[in-house]
Amino acid sequence: MIAAMNSPGQSVWVGDVLVGWASAATADTAAVPLGPIDTTRTAGLSGEQKARFLQGRTLLHRLLGELQPGVVPQLDATTCPHCSGPHGPVSVEGPAVVVGLAHADGLVVAAVATTSRVTALGLDAERDAVGAAERLADLVKLIGGSPATALRRWTQIEAVLKADGRGLRVPPEQVRIEAETAQIESDPDRYRLAEISGPAGYLISLAWR
Ligand SMILES: CC(C)(COP(=O)(O)OP(=O)(O)OC[C@H]1O[C@@H](n2cnc3c(N)ncnc32)[C@H](O)[C@@H]1OP(=O)(O)O)[C@@H](O)C(=O)NCCC(=O)NCCS
């Protein structure tokens, strides 16, 4: 696996992908241009949920500013292709970029890249060792491997399924991981995988192609 180096600036380049993270509780939610779906979503949220949501959008906005200085893109959720609900992946109006977002127990993580270098990306984060034995045993039953590797493997699988865009509508056991790459069964696309050395206590995985 590529292990990205820790960065004091809370963001790190992994090849052509810029990955960053922030505390979900931080009140650093400067105004970010949001599209209609996100505006409606924000209006329906309060407290921690609202802070978490806005922190994700703020982090994406910061990373996009680092990727393409001077560009102020509008962010919006896409509608779910399955149920038309307002909870699909984030879309960015303007620059030709791909983006990804994940929330994990007090942390928000995001990744951005230009489409000239990266076609798709996804990332996932989990609190390390949360839930302990029972949850790990359930994960092993679902995706194989061992309790020691289950949580990392789960973040890799979710990262791949988010990069694919269908998320958990694809059965997770259909993701095949081989060293630093992964593939969904009967799908020709091959993803690269990286472990991100983010804040202590979290496992973060990135998948991209
Ligand atoms: C995508 C999915 C794996 C996210 O898992 P999770 O553990 O709940 O959430 P995470 O914190 O890891 O990631 C959430 C982010 O993923 C992104 N996301 C949502 N759906 C996505 C998808 N299909 N592909 C890629 N990214 C997606 C969003 O940006 C979301 O953050 P936001 O709501 O603040 O914008 C999961 O929600 C899923 O499989 N969704 C598809 C199926 C579905 O939505 N079913 C229910 C209604 S039909």
Side-chain angles (χ1 to χ4, degrees):
M1 299 284 161
I2 298 170
M5 298 295 289
N6 248 324
S7 157
Q10 300 193 314
S11 59
V12 67
W13 283 98
V14 183
D16 293 310
V17 182
L18 180 61
V19 182
W21 54 90
S23 159
T26 313
D28 172 27
T29 49
V32 170
L34 297 179
I37 298 174
D38 273 357
T39 303
T40 307
R41 271 181 89 181
T42 313
L45 296 173
S46 59
E48 264 179 44
Q49 274 192 322
K50 185 171 182 175
R52 185 181 106 128
F53 174 77
L54 288 176
Q55 191 54 267
R57 295 302 189 261
T58 305
L59 175 60
L60 268 178
H61 198 252
R62 169 166 76 76
L63 294 178
L64 288 167
E66 268 183 65
L67 186 72
Q68 297 190 337
V71 177
V72 186
Q74 177 177 280
L75 305 176
D76 208 0
T78 49
T79 50
C80 170
H82 194 62
C83 72
S84 304
H87 52 248
V90 185
S91 72
V92 182
E93 193 181 293
V97 293
V98 283
V99 303
L101 196 58
H103 306 275
D105 202 12
L107 184 75
V108 57
V109 189
V112 301
T114 58
T115 53
S116 58
R117 311 291 300 176
V118 175
T119 317
L121 63 78
L123 80 172
D124 191 53
E126 292 280 342
R127 191 81 181 240
D128 199 359
V130 160
E134 201 177 320
R135 177 156 188 239
L136 295 180
D138 286 346
L139 277 180
V140 170
K141 264 188 224 152
L142 185 66
I143 59 175
S146 70
T149 58
L151 213 46
R152 168 64 69 192
R153 201 175 161 81
W154 178 249
T155 60
Q156 292 170 329
I157 288 171
E158 275 220 58
V160 169
L161 295 180
K162 286 161 102 176
D164 169 81
R166 287 174 289 174
L168 290 167
R169 283 194 298 276
V170 175
E173 60 273 22
Q174 285 189 11
V175 178
R176 300 268 177 257
I177 296 171
E178 258 180 58
E180 294 175 10
T181 65
Q183 217 165 348
I184 300 174
E185 257 176 41
S186 32
D187 189 332
D189 293 325
R190 185 171 283 277
Y191 295 88
R192 296 186 66 191
L193 296 174
E195 295 177 4
I196 308 300
S197 297
Y202 292 91
L203 298 178
I204 305 170
S205 293
L206 170 73
W208 77 105
R209 62 179 164 85

